[in-house]
Amino acid sequence: MHRAPLIMVCTCEIAGQVRGKAFPASELPARMTSGVGWVPSMTMISALGPTADTPFGLTGELILVPDPATEVQVEFGDDGEPEHFFLGDLRETDGTPWSCCPRDFARRAIAALQHEARLQVLAAFEHEFTYTGIEARGGAAFSLDAFRRQGAFGAMLVAAMTQAGLQPDSFLPEYGPRQFEVTVAPARGLRAADQAVITREMVRATAHRLNSRALLTPAPEPNDTGNGVHVHLSLLGPDGAPALPDPAGRFGLSPAGRSFAAGILDHQAALVALTAPSPVSALRLRPDRIAPTHVYLADRDRGASLRLCPGLQLPGMDPRRQLNLEYRAADATASPYFALGAIVWAGLDGIRRGLDLPPHADVADMDDAARSLAGIPRLPATLDEALDRLEATEAARDWFGPVLFDAYLRHKRAELRMVAELNETALCELYAQLF
């Protein structure tokens, strides 16, 4: 039977899921303007499926409009349909941005940083995931054996990402059982978040073509190493030159760089409500899980919630262009638009207030107990605690606007109520199905 090619236009909303509508490919020129119909309460669909709470009811009309810069068309060379989709913006019917559009949340933060501080953000997302197409073996962390046994998956994934317009940087077996990591080259502004969404979907699509799954959940099991997302950020000046480094500054950071980092640290307890925003996210942010538990900046310390990544001092390499901040308290249950937008808003708030790094930022690598004894603040132990911190953050109300702020808190608290009776094992099993 003949097939009519379909194209999907998608958004990645509060639940961290990529949702949208498909239309016949022949309609693409018209859909680039008119988009597809959308309903405000669709943004309140939980990761679990039901809409448990919504401020919008059944009223309202929106359009989801494709962004031509985000088109993905990937042929896998099998009998399956190609991946063909766009990422898009949620707009009112007159074309103006909807107050709860995820991409507009990030876009506004990026624009404010550029307008107020004359700085651009350059960012890249590292993704860890569990690939079910390989058996778990002890001692396989980072091994050639694990790389060999994953078979065609890695090569297919890199090919798919390349077709999708990404620049893959690395693919590797990671520390956990059946765990792998994929990274891409950094991109400016909103494109970095778009790349994160596309990367996740290429990981899932490739595993699907091999009759397997890629689990991006932060906690496949309660006590194993979790899957994180590390967001690398640097700043560029008006001329495109690196604005983060200053060899004479503390940590080798410029005044703007220190204030940007200090703003992230100042708000990080609230930020995890957007960057690690599921009930299982907190299971990864525990001691001895190769994940942060406390709020501090450190040089080369992978226990830090914000790590300073130094540039290579090798011939022909400019270390200023490699110096970056790595935000480590994130995972793939977060919409990349809310994660990147929130980090940028927090950094800009640090610049606005002229913040400098707190004294504990100089603390060397310590174990969890020593960090607590040193007075270093802990990250929230639960999503509920993180949401309380977010709600108490006055600056965040301005970042969101009143409608989105209310919607986000309602959405996440409704999700918590839906899983309140589940133990940790059941939670992990559920979110492994969802992510």
Side-chain angles (χ1 to χ4, degrees):
M1 178 179 289
H2 293 294
R3 301 176 182 178
L6 296 174
I7 301 172
M8 197 163 184
V9 54
C10 305
T11 179
C12 186
E13 295 193 88
I14 298 173
Q17 303 281 12
V18 178
R19 298 189 171 107
K21 288 186 178 181
F23 55 84
S26 59
E27 296 183 10
L28 179 58
R31 296 289 188 174
M32 296 305 293
T33 300
S34 63
V36 297
W38 206 251
V39 178
S41 278
M42 285 183 173
T43 203
M44 302 304 291
I45 300 173
S46 70
L48 288 72
T51 303
D53 186 13
T54 175
F56 308 114
L58 300 178
T59 63
E61 293 290 339
L62 302 168
I63 52 176
L64 174 56
V65 182
D67 181 340
T70 68
E71 183 177 14
V72 170
Q73 190 167 10
V74 175
E75 296 276 359
F76 281 88
D78 55 18
D79 293 332
E81 289 297 303
E83 293 279 327
H84 196 181
F85 63 87
F86 288 79
L87 303 176
D89 294 300
L90 289 167
R91 299 178 183 172
E92 303 283 359
T93 53
D94 64 1
T96 56
W98 184 43
S99 59
C100 297
C101 174
R103 290 183 91 226
D104 195 60
F105 176 78
R107 186 184 287 115
R108 288 189 292 105
I110 293 160
L113 179 69
Q114 187 160 6
H115 175 71
E116 296 183 35
R118 302 185 70 209
L119 294 170
Q120 300 178 65
V121 64
L122 186 71
F125 288 64
E126 292 180 359
H127 285 90
E128 297 171 343
F129 57 90
T130 303
Y131 176 52
T132 67
I134 183 174
E135 64 176 330
R137 287 187 188 174
F142 306 104
S143 71
L144 177 59
D145 177 63
F147 179 80
R148 180 184 299 121
R149 289 186 293 108
Q150 55 82 31
F153 174 79
M156 287 178 62
L157 172 59
V158 168
M161 292 170 64
T162 303
Q163 279 192 62
L166 308 179
Q167 184 181 341
D169 179 78
S170 64
F171 171 79
L172 63 145
E174 254 284 356
Y175 182 78
R178 304 188 297 173
Q179 187 182 49
F180 291 83
E181 178 184 279
V182 65
T183 65
V184 298
R188 296 191 187 197
L190 189 64
R191 179 61 184 172
D194 289 335
Q195 287 192 161
V197 177
I198 295 167
T199 297
R200 294 177 190 181
E201 293 311 306
M202 291 302 97
V203 167
R204 293 181 172 116
T206 304
H208 173 72
R209 299 293 172 133
L210 293 169
N211 299 311
S212 298
R213 288 193 65 210
L215 312 180
L216 286 95
T217 176
E221 296 182 15
N223 298 309
D224 270 340
T225 302
N227 295 314
V229 171
H230 304 148
V231 186
H232 291 261
L233 307 107
S234 58
L235 301 175
L236 303 177
D239 58 355
L244 199 61
D246 177 358
R250 188 172 170 214
F251 280 101
L253 294 174
S254 66
R258 293 196 301 275
S259 290
F260 188 82
I264 294 171
L265 294 176
D266 189 54
H267 291 297
Q268 195 157 31
L271 292 183
V272 292
L274 295 107
T275 62
S278 75
V280 292
S281 294
L283 301 184
R284 187 181 77 90
L285 303 177
R286 287 177 167 177
D288 304 317
R289 301 292 294 273
I290 319 180
T293 57
H294 290 72
V295 178
Y296 68 99
L297 170 73
D299 182 3
R300 313 175 200 223
D301 178 0
R302 285 170 172 78
S305 60
L306 190 64
R307 183 171 78 100
L308 185 66
C309 303
L312 296 176
Q313 309 288 326
L314 295 176
M317 292 187 175
D318 184 352
R320 298 176 308 150
R321 292 196 174 275
Q322 298 170 57
L323 179 76
N324 65 87
L325 297 169
E326 181 186 27
Y327 182 101
R328 294 181 59 83
D331 62 57
T333 63
S335 165
Y337 302 114
F338 286 116
L340 181 63
I343 294 168
V344 172
W345 277 123
L348 176 58
D349 188 61
I351 292 173
R352 286 169 172 168
R353 294 158 57 197
L355 296 183
D356 206 345
L357 294 170
H360 62 68
D362 281 331
V363 174
D365 191 15
M366 298 178 173
D367 63 23
D368 192 66
R371 289 170 187 150
S372 295
L373 288 172
I376 302 175
R378 288 192 65 91
L379 287 168
T382 64
L383 175 58
D384 192 41
E385 182 186 345
L387 291 168
D388 287 345
R389 296 293 296 269
L390 178 64
E391 186 172 23
T393 301
E394 287 299 322
R397 296 175 183 271
D398 293 331
W399 308 343
F400 280 83
V403 177
L404 180 54
F405 196 64
D406 176 52
Y408 192 91
L409 292 169
R410 284 193 190 204
H411 185 291
K412 289 300 175 183
R413 285 179 171 147
E415 184 177 346
L416 282 170
R417 290 194 297 272
M418 284 188 276
V419 300
E421 301 303 317
L422 299 182
N423 62 30
E424 289 184 358
T425 298
L427 267 179
C428 290
E429 291 173 352
L430 175 61
Y431 279 82
Q433 297 174 22
L434 301 174
F435 291 92

